Amino acid sequence: MVSAEARGGGSERSEHKGAGKPMRSGKRFAALYAGMCAAALAGVLAVSALDRAAGAEARDGLRDGLEQMVADGFPGAVAYVRDGTREERAASGLGDVERRVPAAIGDRFRIASNTKAFVSTVLLQLEGEGRLSLADSVERWLPGTVVGNGYRGAEISLRQLLNHTSGVHDPTTEAEFFAPYLQDGDRDRVISPREVIRRAVEHGPDFAPGERWGYSNTNYLLAGLVIEAVTGRSAPEEIDLRIVQPLGLDGTYFPVSESSVAGRHLRGYDLDGQDMTRFSTSYDWTAGAMVSTVDDLARFHRALFGGELLPERQQRALLETVRLPDAPRYGLGVQRIEVPCEDGDPDGDGSGADGRSVEAWMTDGGGPGYTSVAVGSADGRRQLVLVGNVFDLAEELAGRAPVPRSEAVARLQRAALCG
């Protein structure tokens, strides 16, 4: 296990720089990004272009946006924004409601499915080293793991795991799965990745490999096991050695079974204000268990989309999106989106009222107590990383919005990415 303390990242210091069924897949993204991101972006970048504002003025605009998020129902919010070489950071609201501790820029949080991009990067690095191929089957690396009940592991490729076209079922979409945590109150319950995979196999596939696109955390649990089979080391250790340490991501670590968050961190809540911070995400493992900060996520995204982490061939593979009916433009753990640059979308094509839009790459994450998004323009010039300390798992399982609704939405993303 790679822990924050083992790497010296468990400091309590916070750095203030510059003062039914869950909604998975593209629908889930739309709810998280539009519902939560909007909040922030609204005012966050009411300074529409950071170059047109002095540093202090830009920071004020960023704070205004985060304050709107808090007014809309998030106890606290933290954001990082970059335009070229100019960076701004701000925090608003409370990181700990009970103790009335303000949210701080360097606070850690669980990044949930943002973890997937770290995992796909390691697998792509291994391919670049000639140690595996994305065309390899699951059966080749994990013999006997995905067989029976309609599964044929020999027909599922590693690429299909990473782009969610494998058809492997996701048991974490079922309320019954979380009953020990949410109904019995056993927040320390450890459910191993192999147990999740066993339940997925017991259920049977959702569709034949390559037939459709369907978001499944089980895909990335299998990907984590492949990393271990290829390297002989734990997946968290490989992520630490290959990404976290080289990039100097001092606020980032990978808990395996711990139910707490190390170091200074935001506490996470559900929509009723119940503290959800203590929660073992053992079941999420390489699908969504990592902890980080807004600065660290921003640094990782710059490195990943800037070509620092992968050879050219693997970089192209990362960004090659699924071409299937009704599928989002999903690559390998990352998603391409179109951000409209003006109010409204009269044509329904993702562009604004004046037809302008910006192509961007994003990852997001939502899990007990925390909602986050990291998005950057495709040209690499602009970035936004945003976290709010609310995610209501029970609401998501019931098919309802797991985060506060906000009208502040698109203005935030437009201001951050359109300039």
Side-chain angles (χ1 to χ4, degrees):
M1 179 186 72
V2 180
S3 67
E5 287 76 9
R7 292 184 46 254
S11 169
E12 294 285 333
R13 177 180 59 88
S14 174
E15 184 177 3
H16 293 259
K17 301 179 181 180
K21 187 174 183 179
M23 296 176 290
R24 306 282 177 180
S25 79
K27 292 182 181 178
R28 176 179 180 277
F29 157 72
L32 292 184
Y33 193 56
M36 161 236 181
C37 210
L41 292 175
V44 163
L45 293 174
V47 252
S48 87
L50 290 178
D51 357 80
R52 294 203 303 266
E57 188 178 349
R59 281 193 295 276
D60 288 345
L62 186 58
R63 289 195 193 93
D64 288 345
L66 297 183
E67 287 171 5
Q68 183 61 51
M69 277 188 76
V70 173
D72 288 334
F74 287 89
V78 181
Y80 166 99
V81 175
R82 179 178 64 85
D83 183 352
T85 59
R86 172 174 283 174
E87 300 173 305
E88 298 296 343
R89 304 157 176 87
S92 183
L94 297 174
D96 184 331
V97 172
E98 183 180 1
R99 295 194 298 158
R100 311 301 295 174
V101 177
I105 293 167
D107 282 352
R108 286 174 167 160
F109 56 93
R110 293 194 179 99
I111 66 173
S113 286
N114 288 288
T115 300
K116 290 178 172 68
F118 288 81
V119 173
S120 63
T121 299
V122 171
L123 276 175
L124 285 163
Q125 288 178 342
L126 291 171
E127 184 185 57
E129 295 162 8
R131 301 173 70 179
L132 60 78
S133 167
L134 292 186
D136 289 346
S137 70
V138 172
E139 181 66 16
R140 173 176 178 179
W141 291 106
L142 304 174
T145 301
V146 186
V147 294
N149 285 336
Y151 284 108
R152 295 179 178 85
E155 298 177 5
I156 300 172
S157 71
L158 302 187
R159 179 179 283 104
Q160 288 171 331
L161 294 181
L162 298 182
N163 68 13
H164 294 299
T165 60
S166 71
V168 176
H169 182 67
D170 184 357
T172 69
T173 62
E174 301 156 6
E176 180 184 0
F177 181 91
F178 288 102
Y181 301 93
L182 299 179
Q183 295 178 22
D184 302 339
D186 185 5
R187 302 279 188 81
D188 299 319
R189 173 70 64 92
V190 173
I191 300 178
S192 73
R194 287 192 179 275
E195 171 61 15
V196 179
I197 293 167
R198 185 195 67 76
R199 297 189 195 188
V201 172
E202 186 178 72
H203 177 279
D206 291 336
F207 51 86
E211 180 181 85
R212 301 203 305 270
W213 186 89
Y215 193 93
S216 174
N217 282 323
T218 316
N219 287 326
Y220 275 76
L221 301 182
L222 289 164
L225 292 181
V226 170
I227 290 172
E228 298 188 338
V230 173
T231 66
R233 283 192 289 261
S234 77
E237 185 178 4
E238 284 293 322
I239 290 170
D240 191 62
L241 292 172
R242 291 171 173 270
I243 302 174
V244 175
Q245 290 192 42
L247 295 182
L249 308 183
D250 295 331
T252 302
Y253 74 103
F254 197 133
V256 174
S257 59
E258 302 97 312
S259 54
S260 59
V261 180
R264 164 112 194 199
H265 59 276
L266 297 170
R267 297 197 71 82
Y269 302 90
D270 67 13
L271 287 169
D272 291 328
Q274 181 180 9
D275 194 321
M276 303 296 288
T277 311
R278 187 173 187 84
F279 207 107
S280 172
T281 54
S282 52
Y283 59 87
D284 248 352
W285 196 49
T286 45
M290 290 181 69
V291 171
S292 192
T293 66
V294 293
D295 265 83
D296 278 7
L297 267 186
R299 173 68 183 108
F300 169 61
H301 268 233
R302 285 197 302 278
L304 180 59
F305 295 110
E308 295 180 42
L309 296 174
L310 297 172
E312 184 176 345
R313 180 168 172 267
Q314 280 67 41
Q315 188 75 20
R316 289 197 301 270
L318 173 80
L319 305 180
E320 183 178 346
T321 60
V322 173
R323 297 178 182 178
L324 287 171
D326 301 320
R329 293 190 294 172
Y330 197 91
L332 303 183
V334 301
Q335 185 168 335
R336 191 171 179 102
I337 62 170
E338 195 167 341
V339 178
C341 289
E342 296 294 338
D343 288 324
D345 182 14
D347 301 322
D349 61 359
S351 64
D354 67 352
R356 287 197 313 122
S357 63
V358 169
E359 292 287 319
W361 287 100
M362 61 80 59
T363 64
D364 75 336
Y370 304 93
T371 307
S372 59
V373 62
V375 59
S377 57
D379 63 10
R381 179 179 173 183
R382 295 183 171 92
Q383 278 185 285
L384 167 75
V385 182
L386 176 67
V387 59
N389 56 347
V390 168
F391 188 92
D392 196 313
L393 179 59
E395 288 294 289
E396 188 198 34
L397 291 166
R400 296 186 289 267
V403 297
R405 307 300 291 179
S406 174
E407 297 301 322
V409 194
R411 280 174 283 169
L412 188 285
Q413 67 184 30
R414 285 197 301 270
L417 300 178
C418 294

